Structure formats: C-alpha cells, structure tokens
Amino acid sequence: MTELTTRARVTLAAATTVLLAAVAIGYIHLAKDRADGPDTVPAAAVTLDPGPRLLVVTDRRAATVARGEPSGARQVSGVECVRVYAAAGTGVCIQPETAWSYQLVVLDRELRPTRSFAVPGLPNRARVSASGRMVAWTTFVGGDSYSSGGFSTRTGILDTRTGTLVSTLEEFAVTREGRGYRNVDVNFWGVTFTADDNAFYATMATGGKRYLVLGDFADRTVRTITDNVECPSLSPDGTRIAFKQAVGGDPQRGWRLSVLDLATMAVTNLAETTSVDDQAAWLDDRTVAYTLRGPDGTPSIWSVPADGTGQPTLLLNQAESPAALG
C-alpha cells in the first residue's frame, strides 16, 4: 500500500497567465544553464536508433535510457523538449519558441531538426507512426484540463514524406453513430496511427461525450467507434488500444488505465489504480508505460502488464513522455 499511496494523483488545477509566463521565462533560463552543465552530452551522442531503450523527457530535455537501467543511467541531450516521441529514426519534439509560444520540431535519427513550425497553445500530446512517416500533436488552446468542460484543443498531423500538413482535425468530415455530424464544440486529441500510415485513431469530444474515432487521413474523414475512450494508443500488433477511461464516465473522478480489444470491443482495466492522465505508450505487445506526477508535479514513468495482471512497476524517476525505441 505504501508504494501506491506515494504515487501521485493527477493535478488538475488551472494556472494563471502570469504564472504561465513566469514559468516559461524561468524554464528557458534554467534549460540554458543546465545545457551548459557537465551532465549534458552532445545532441549527436543521443540517437533514435532502434534498440532496447526508451526516449524520454528529463529536466525538459530529450534523453535516452536503456531498458532496465537504474534511474540515473541516462543520456541527456541538449535538445529542449516538453513532449517527445519517436519511431523508425524520426522524432517529434514540442519545445518553447519564445516565452509565450511553442513550436513543433521534427528530428532525424541524430536529433537534428528537419522541419519546424509554430503550434498554438500549451503542448499536450505527440506521436509518430511506426514507419516514422506520420507525425501528430495535440495542444490546449483554451482551458487546461481534460476534466474541464471549457477546454479546447488543436490536433494536427504532418506527412513528413509529402509535406502535407493538416493543422487541425476539425477540418475533417465527421460521422457520429452512423450519421454526418457538425458542431462548433468538436475537439480532437490523442492521435495514434495504424501500420498503413493513413488510418488513425483519436479521441473526439462533442455534446458532452467523448468518442474513440477512426480517421482516414487521405479522405479527411473520421467516424465514431465507441465512447468513453480517451488518448488511445494502438498496440504494436494492431489488435488493441490502451486508453484512459473516465471513472463512471466522469473525468472529474479521474481515469482508469484500460485496454480495448478491437475485435471483441471488450475492455480490460489494468492493475494501475491511480488516475492516469496520459497517453500510454506500448513498450511491446504485453506492456504499456505511462507518466504519473507527484504532489509537487515531479513526473515518473511506470509500466504495467496490458492484460490486467501483475502490478505497476517504476521504470524511471524524474522523467516523462516515454517512447520505446525498439
């Protein structure tokens, strides 16, 4: 019981504009100071090459750590990121552009930027397709929490091969429960790609409900699959989705980390009982990883079996935004 009670529940308090600005300014100066410190390695020394490692954010910088290594044994680059993800040698990093704004940066295998552009709001989610071709991101542009009815998001997708950029999924045609649907309150978040680099899953909220949707990037369409599924993450074998499920359908009560079987639509609650406000990342076909925060906001990365057995395991302290590199 001690382990469970020492792990954080999700912090949902709103921040004022003044506080956000102060944090951003202080963070930029802190990141610069730390980048000059002895624990920073050249960016080229941290790569996205496939292997039994995790890519994470630690001290607001991209870092890698070998699976099973102790918490301190990590390679920390000088690349500043608030959110990070990678697959097949392509990385995505959301980082401060100024004290008031953020940009999305596409990285190559040696963490060199290949493209960047401004994104509105506060960084929240980032994903790369298994092939490394497709990149997706979500930001908050109004409100600051999924538990708040007043939040607004922007979710976009970039095809790195063709350069095609969709800055918001709100441009897509929506089919809800078998019928065409339009509403100004539609929000999307938490994209996860299928193996074909065209279809994707995401969350759509409208009319007080949250749906799992299946999207078609080429056709610019989405359709609802089921409800009460948030921040989906498709398993490597493409058969299951890890997600956060609002307890009793009410985000104010927190979220239960769960797995949806796409063939049967059966839901399995995982052994993690702490509220998880994160888009889980599959480490392999049997295990998912996710971020929890302590009372002071300090993040840590945990893992749990995807079949509902076992118990949560601490993977890495003072780290967040995990992505398995191989």
Side-chain angles (χ1 to χ4, degrees), residues 49-56 63-75 85-86 236 281-290 301-306 313-316 322-326:
D49 291 335
R53 298 174 298 136
L54 290 179
L55 174 69
V56 301
T64 57
V65 59
R67 294 274 296 274
E69 287 292 326
S71 294
R74 65 191 82 179
Q75 293 288 303
Y85 201 82
W282 291 80
L283 300 183
D284 50 47
D285 280 321
R286 300 175 303 279
T287 314
V288 296
Y290 51 94
I301 296 173
W302 295 74
S303 70
V304 70
T313 300
L314 176 65
L315 293 184
L316 204 60
L325 293 178

Side-chain angles (χ1 to χ4, degrees), residues 173-197:
V174 176
T175 299
R176 186 183 73 157
E177 298 173 351
R179 296 186 176 183
Y181 180 81
R182 291 181 64 86
N183 197 310
V184 294
D185 75 346
V186 169
N187 278 297
F188 294 93
W189 64 88
V191 168
T192 184
F193 295 100
T194 67
D196 69 2
D197 283 332

